[in-house]
């Protein structure tokens, strides 16, 4: 039966280094996941807004064609009115606000003091 010499200081150093290394890797992974989250959410936001702008452009083009038709379209039958434009602007502002809230609440979570 051989006796193994157990050096407490050496084991503490080895375990401490492993914990520090795991903590550093965890922080690095968390940073990269947060960056990826921001990129994904911003990409979705840009794509959705691009589609809304494209839709409005197509509706305005259709309105213009209908107004230039013979007989011309009366103003009360237009597709894109001031109410439609205001609704789209309001919806975009709300969407932007919700997007920023989602990103900031993910990037800066509330710390629980327990």
């Amino acid at each position: 039966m051989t006796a193994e010499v157990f050096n407490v200081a050496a084991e503490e150093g080895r375990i401490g280094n492993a914990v520090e290394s795991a903590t550093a890797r965890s922080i690095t992974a968390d940073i990269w996941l947060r960056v990826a989250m921001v990129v994904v959410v911003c990409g979705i936001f840009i794509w959705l807004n691009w589609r809304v702008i494209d839709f409005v452009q197509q509706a305005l083009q259709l309105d213009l064609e209908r107004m230039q038709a013979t007989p011309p379209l009366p103003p009360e039958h237009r597709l894109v009115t001031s109410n439609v434009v205001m609704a789209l602007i309001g919806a975009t502002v709300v969407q932007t606000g919700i997007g920023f809230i989602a990103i900031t609440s993910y990037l800066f979570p509330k710390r629980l003091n327990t």
Side-chain angles (χ1 to χ4, degrees):
M1 185 162 163
T2 60
E4 291 185 26
V5 176
F6 187 74
N7 186 344
V8 174
E11 284 300 308
E12 268 185 356
R14 187 180 65 80
I15 291 171
N17 288 339
V19 169
E20 288 173 10
S21 176
T23 302
R25 286 186 196 139
S26 172
I27 291 170
T28 302
D30 189 50
I31 290 169
W32 282 109
L33 286 173
R34 290 173 191 267
V35 168
M37 173 71 172
V38 169
V39 169
V40 167
V41 170
C42 287
I44 292 170
F45 176 76
I46 290 168
W47 181 78
L48 286 173
N49 280 312
W50 185 269
R51 297 298 299 156
V52 169
I53 291 169
D54 188 46
F55 171 74
V56 171
Q57 285 178 337
Q58 289 176 2
L60 286 171
Q61 183 65 33
L62 182 62
D63 247 4
L64 182 62
E65 290 171 6
R66 291 178 64 195
M67 286 189 312
Q68 293 173 346
T70 307
L73 180 71
E76 62 271 5
H77 292 116
R78 292 192 62 190
L79 292 175
V80 181
T81 63
S82 61
N83 289 338
V84 171
V85 172
M86 291 303 291
L88 289 171
I89 291 171
T92 303
V93 168
V94 169
Q95 179 187 19
T96 303
I98 291 172
F100 285 132
I101 289 170
I103 290 172
T104 54
S105 66
Y106 180 76
L107 290 176
F108 307 106
K110 293 180 181 174
R111 304 284 184 214
L112 298 177
N113 296 329
T114 56

